[in-house]
């Protein structure tokens, strides 16, 4: 049995099989929709969130787990496995204060805890978590795992495209005028998560779906430049058919890689709106 227990948060994109295999504890973020607060992945699932977001009167709000929630999780693990260490890996600090809440909670418990900022979300966050979980299962020490997950973080990339600017306006990331003009002109956006601070950066803007196609072509061309692609994930906000098509295209190039197609986390879809698609990969 591993002496290191893995904790992460619900911004991650893991399959049920992965969660069970590695006994990963997931701490839920909160989502508020029209005054009702839900726990991500507990009292509301991702497909249900998209439905409620479309119907909501205002943009949903996501919030990090409380310090008390993290402390309770850590204390529970410590009581059950008093001789174990905890490695707590979380959503990018550039997108949320989740990892900071984890750090503060770690100081309030008797458990031996190491926190780690993945500088990512969704499946790219999962690449880092799975690296840690696999090594923990094999009996690696914390000092062995930390350099490996730092490398996994450096090797992980997120590129996403979205087709509507409405949520960007509602979230204050674009002015209303910019949003109206953008929608009238049928502006589409391609973006990436930066490696230095884990924030979202717009990389391409243009009119019509050809912009999205060009963006995805560019991402795939970049992937081909690496010596080795280790993992790929496709995440989406309400467009499963388009996501499956991209996954099939990538599988034709990398047939030995299992590519999960998953609904994206509410913290991403809240800002991008329905119609977003992300290509996430780990390569060296």
């Amino acid at each position: 049995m591993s002496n290191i227990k893995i904790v992460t948060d619900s911004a991650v994109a893991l399959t049920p099989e992965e969660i069970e295999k590695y006994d990963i504890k997931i701490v839920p973020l909160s989502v508020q929709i029209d005054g009702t607060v839900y726990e991500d992945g507990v009292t509301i699932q991702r497909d249900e969130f998209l439905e409620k977001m479309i119907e909501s009167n205002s943009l949903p709000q996501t919030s990090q787990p409380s310090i008390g929630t993290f402390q309770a999780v850590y204390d529970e693990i410590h009581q059950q496995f008093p001789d174990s260490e905890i490695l707590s890996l979380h959503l990018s600090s550039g997108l949320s204060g989740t990892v900071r809440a984890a750090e503060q909670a770690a100081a309030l418990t008797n458990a031996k805890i190491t926190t780690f900022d993945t500088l990512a979300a969704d499946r790219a966050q999962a690449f880092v978590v799975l690296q840690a979980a696999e090594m923990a299962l094999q009996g690696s020490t914390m000092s062995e795992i930390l350099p490996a997950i730092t490398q996994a973080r450096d090797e992980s990339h997120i590129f996403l495209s979205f087709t509507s600017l409405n949520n960007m306006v509602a979230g204050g990331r674009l002015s209303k005028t910019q949003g109206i003009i953008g929608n009238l002109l049928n502006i589409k956006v391609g973006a990436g998560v930066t490696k230095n601070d884990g924030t979202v950066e717009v990389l391409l803007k243009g009119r019509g779906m050809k912009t999205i196609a060009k963006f995805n072509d560019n991402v795939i061309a970049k992937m081909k430049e690496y010596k080795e692609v280790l993992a790929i994930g496709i995440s989406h906000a309400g467009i499963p058919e388009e996501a499956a098509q991209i996954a099939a295209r990538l599988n034709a190039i990398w047939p030995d890689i299992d590519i999960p197609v998953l609904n994206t986390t509410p913290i991403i879809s809240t800002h991008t709106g329905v119609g977003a698609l992300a290509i996430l990969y780990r390569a060296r």
Side-chain angles (χ1 to χ4, degrees):
M1 182 179 292
S2 171
N3 195 47
I4 296 175
K5 304 303 177 184
I6 303 298
V7 175
T8 188
D9 56 72
S10 64
V12 76
L14 291 166
T15 66
E17 293 78 15
E18 290 166 342
I19 295 169
E20 181 179 4
K21 177 181 179 179
Y22 297 110
D23 191 24
I24 298 170
K25 178 64 177 179
I26 298 179
V27 183
L29 278 76
S30 296
V31 180
Q32 182 172 312
I33 307 174
D34 289 341
T36 301
V37 177
Y38 303 89
E39 286 190 309
D40 179 24
V42 179
T43 57
I44 190 168
Q45 302 304 314
R46 293 183 176 188
D47 52 354
E48 184 184 2
F49 170 79
L50 288 175
E51 294 173 3
K52 290 184 178 296
M53 181 175 71
I54 293 170
E55 298 170 354
S56 65
N57 296 318
S58 58
L59 188 70
Q61 295 179 319
T62 57
S63 59
Q64 66 210 39
S66 68
I67 295 171
T69 298
F70 272 119
Q71 184 179 357
V73 169
Y74 296 153
D75 285 343
E76 181 182 358
I77 294 173
H78 182 61
Q79 289 171 8
Q80 190 173 0
F81 306 99
D83 296 326
S84 293
E85 296 181 65
I86 297 171
L87 178 55
S88 202
L89 310 100
H90 296 291
L91 167 66
S92 171
S93 57
L95 300 174
S96 168
T98 298
V99 71
R100 302 295 172 242
E103 289 170 353
Q104 293 176 63
L108 301 175
T109 178
N110 292 325
K112 188 175 182 181
I113 300 165
T114 300
T115 59
F116 189 83
D117 185 351
T118 67
L119 293 176
D122 204 274
R123 192 63 184 174
Q125 181 179 342
F127 296 153
V128 183
V129 171
L130 290 171
Q131 177 71 57
E134 180 62 35
M135 292 184 70
L137 187 65
Q138 293 172 358
S140 299
T141 64
M142 191 71 76
S143 61
E144 292 170 331
I145 292 174
L146 289 175
I149 60 176
T150 299
Q151 180 177 344
R153 179 176 66 184
D154 293 341
E155 293 172 346
S156 298
H157 305 270
I158 304 174
F159 293 96
L160 64 155
S161 57
F162 44 101
T163 58
S164 170
L165 303 182
N166 292 335
N167 283 38
M168 295 287 282
V169 173
R173 294 174 181 255
L174 285 176
S175 71
K176 189 173 183 179
T177 300
Q178 286 175 315
I180 291 173
I181 292 173
N183 284 334
L184 286 174
L185 295 177
N186 196 22
I187 296 295
K188 312 301 180 187
V189 176
V193 174
T194 62
K195 300 306 295 181
N196 58 335
D197 60 3
T199 58
V200 177
E201 176 186 17
V202 173
L203 301 175
L204 180 68
K205 290 190 291 185
R207 296 180 65 179
M209 292 304 295
K210 288 184 178 180
T211 299
I212 301 297
K214 179 182 178 181
F215 179 74
N216 289 335
D217 288 345
N218 291 343
V219 172
I220 294 170
K222 178 65 176 176
M223 293 172 69
K224 290 179 178 178
E225 293 177 3
Y226 288 93
K227 292 181 180 179
E228 183 181 14
V229 176
L230 303 172
I232 304 172
I234 302 295
S235 294
H236 66 93
I239 50 170
E241 292 182 1
E242 291 89 334
Q245 289 171 1
I246 290 291
R249 179 180 173 185
L250 292 168
N251 253 148
I253 304 169
W254 293 280
D256 296 331
I257 297 179
D258 179 30
I259 304 177
V261 178
L262 303 168
N263 280 327
T264 192
T265 169
I267 198 168
I268 299 295
S269 54
T270 293
H271 296 300
T272 64
V274 174
L277 184 142
I279 299 175
L280 312 96
Y281 64 91
R282 181 182 174 189
R284 58 169 69 122

